[in-house]
Amino acid sequence: MALHKGSGRDRRLAVSPLFGTADPLGAMKLAPPLHRLSDGSIPPPSAYQLIHDELMLDGNARLNLATFVTTSMDEHATRLMTECVDKNMIDKDEYPQTAELERRCVAILADLWHAPDPDQAVGCSTTGSSEACMLAGLALKRRWMQRNRDRYAAGARPNLVMGINVQVCWEKFCNFWEVEARLVPMSGERYHLDAEQAVAHCDQDTIGVVGILGSTFDGSYEPVAEICAALDELQQRTGLDVPVHVDGASGGMVAPFLDPELLWDFRLPRVASINTSGHKYGLVYPGVGWALWRDHEALPEELVFKVNYLGGEMPTFALNFSRPGAEVVAQYYTFLRLGWEGFRAVQQACRDVATYLATEIEQLGCFRLLTRGDQLPVFAFTTTDDVPFDVFDVSRRLRERGWQVPAYTFPDDRSDLSVLRVVCRNGFSQDLADLLLADLTRLLDELRLQPRPLAELGMPPRTGFHH
C-alpha cells in the first residue's frame, strides 16, 4: 500500500449543473473540496457521479496483463458478495455459517494439497497471500526459537533462505520480525532458487526455506521437490532440520489441476506450510488468501488465539482482526460451483492462451522468450539485440491502445536483463490475445523506425512491474 501525503491546497471539485436532482443552479454551488471535509453534505447521486467520472481514468481491468488478481466473476458470485458485504469475518459467533464456509474451504485446500491427515491440517483465511506469508514466517520463526531457546537468548539471529525473486512481502516479514533475509541472487539463465543454492545458504540459524510455486518475475515453478531432497541430505549429513514453506500464491491453485503429478505440496514431508491467493488463480475478487499447515505441530499453539464461537472456542491465527467475510463466501461459491473438473478447465484455458500467445510473439522475430507459459499461465520475454527499441518502448506503445503490459528489470545479479511479462487470467480469451497480437504487430512497424531505444535518447524508462 502506497503512503500518501496530504495537501494543504483548497482545491475543489467542479460539479455539473445536471448533477442536481431538481435544482441545476444549486448543484453548481456545491463544489466540494478535495482534501478536507466539506461543511455540508451533497446528494448521493452527485457524490456517485463525481467519483464515477474520475474512476473512468483507471485502466480497463480486462486489458490489465500486469496483475495476477482476478478481474471477473459471474453475477451470482457478485450477488453473494453484495449480500455479505456487511459481515465481519472475525465475528464468528454472530456469523457462524460464514465461519463454517471458511472451515470448509480450509478442508478443501487440505485435501487438494494432499495433507497427510486432512482432519489434522490447520489453516485460516487471510486478506491475501502477503498476510498468509507473514503468518507462515511467524510459525517458522517461533518453531526455530523453541528449538534454540538458549542460543536465541544469547543473541543468535534467525535467517530465512529464499530466491531474490520472492514477492516483496517476504522482505517485509524479515524486516518487521527481525529475521535475516538470505536472498539468493539470480545467475545466468537461473532466474529462481535451486536446490544447490538453497542448501548452500542454510545454517543452524535458518528458520526455513521458501520455495515459490510460480515466480512473479517469469511464471516458472521453483523445484520444490529437489530443494526438499537436498535438505533431507543436509539433515542426514549435519543434523540440521530445515522446514520448507511453499509460496503458492498463484501456483497453489494451478498445479493441482494441471500438473497433478508434480511433487510440491504436503506429499513432501519437509513441507510444513503452504499459502495461496484466493484472489489470484483462486478466481475470487480481492482480497482473500489462505494459509495452511500440515498438522498442529507445524503451527505452535502459543500463536493461536481463541474466540467465542457458538458457546465454545474457535481458534484463530491472523494479523488482521476485522476484515470482510464476503470474499470467503465467494471462495466457497467458486469451489462449490466449479469443482475439480471446472477448475481444471478454467486453468487449462488460461495456460492454452498463454502458450499460444508466447509462441505467436516469438514468431514475430523481435523477441526472445524466457518462459513459455507452460507452468503458470504467465510468460516473460525480452527484445532481441538487433532491434532499435527496448521493452519499455513496447510497453509504452501498447498502453496507447489500453493494454497494460509491464516492463521491468530483473534483480541482482541479472539487472542487465529487462523483460515484458504477460499474465493470462480467467477472462483473457484467445480472441483478446489475437487483438493484442494485432496491436503489437502494428506498432512494431513504427518502433523499427526509431534510431535507437528512447531511453538512449534521454527519455527515462517507464517501469510497470506489479506483483
Side-chain angles (χ1 to χ4, degrees), residues 259-454:
D259 310 295
E261 302 305 316
L262 180 69
L263 290 177
W264 64 273
D265 54 16
F266 290 128
R267 287 171 291 182
L268 299 169
R270 194 163 293 277
V271 172
S273 50
I274 301 171
N275 70 274
T276 197
S277 285
H279 60 229
K280 292 180 179 175
Y281 287 97
L283 308 180
V284 176
Y285 286 137
V288 60
W290 300 93
L292 265 72
W293 290 263
R294 68 181 301 115
D295 51 34
H296 290 274
E297 183 180 351
L299 177 60
E301 182 65 24
E302 62 201 71
L303 293 177
V304 179
F305 290 80
K306 303 294 194 302
V307 297
N308 186 32
Y309 175 59
L310 292 178
E313 286 188 328
M314 164 73 79
T316 67
F317 180 33
L319 297 179
N320 289 291
F321 192 74
S322 294
R323 57 187 176 86
E327 287 83 356
V328 171
V329 172
Q331 183 73 84
Y332 182 68
Y333 166 80
T334 305
F335 284 155
L336 186 66
R337 181 194 171 216
L338 291 179
W340 193 95
E341 189 56 41
F343 260 96
R344 189 208 63 77
V346 170
Q347 312 301 33
Q348 185 65 58
C350 293
R351 181 178 282 180
D352 289 345
V353 171
T355 54
Y356 163 76
L357 189 54
T359 300
E360 294 297 313
I361 287 176
E362 183 179 40
Q363 291 178 359
L364 293 174
C366 300
F367 302 104
R368 177 176 67 87
L369 295 178
L370 276 68
T371 48
R372 296 181 173 275
D374 54 355
Q375 294 185 329
L376 281 191
V378 176
F379 63 95
F381 58 103
T382 188
T383 51
T384 56
D385 295 333
D386 58 348
V387 296
F389 54 86
D390 61 17
V391 295
F392 302 101
D393 295 335
V394 176
S395 178
R396 184 181 293 110
R397 291 302 308 277
L398 284 172
R399 189 175 287 267
E400 294 173 4
R401 286 283 290 168
W403 300 105
Q404 299 173 61
V405 180
Y408 52 92
T409 301
F410 271 28
D412 300 341
D413 288 336
R414 286 307 316 268
S415 56
D416 59 306
L417 178 61
S418 298
V419 303
L420 294 148
R421 185 197 65 198
V422 173
V423 178
C424 297
R425 306 179 311 279
N426 180 42
F428 182 65
S429 63
Q430 186 162 326
D431 291 337
L432 285 175
D434 285 332
L435 290 174
L436 172 62
L437 281 170
D439 285 338
L440 181 57
T441 302
R442 278 193 294 267
L443 68 85
L444 287 179
D445 291 335
E446 298 178 21
L447 287 173
R448 288 190 181 98
L449 297 177
Q450 293 184 184
R452 54 187 183 275
L454 294 183

Side-chain angles (χ1 to χ4, degrees), residues 80 114 125 167 240 253 294:
L80 272 174
H114 300 96
S125 65
Q167 214 267 1
L240 293 177
M253 295 302 295
R294 68 181 301 115

Side-chain angles (χ1 to χ4, degrees), residues 29-65:
K29 297 175 184 177
L30 292 174
L34 268 71
H35 301 120
R36 61 179 177 82
L37 286 174
S38 60
D39 295 332
S41 304
I42 65 175
S46 299
Y48 166 83
Q49 194 67 44
L50 285 169
I51 299 171
H52 172 82
D53 288 352
E54 287 198 31
L55 290 176
M56 289 193 298
L57 295 174
D58 278 347
N60 186 325
R62 291 288 292 276
L63 301 183
N64 184 359
L65 304 182

Side-chain angles (χ1 to χ4, degrees), residues 102-124 266 271-274 291-299 304 315:
E102 179 189 31
R103 189 194 65 78
R104 293 180 194 175
C105 287
V106 169
I108 288 169
L109 289 171
D111 178 71
L112 188 66
W113 294 340
H114 300 96
D117 183 353
D119 290 335
Q120 293 300 312
V122 292
C124 61
F266 290 128
V271 172
S273 50
I274 301 171
L292 265 72
W293 290 263
R294 68 181 301 115
D295 51 34
H296 290 274
E297 183 180 351
L299 177 60
V304 179

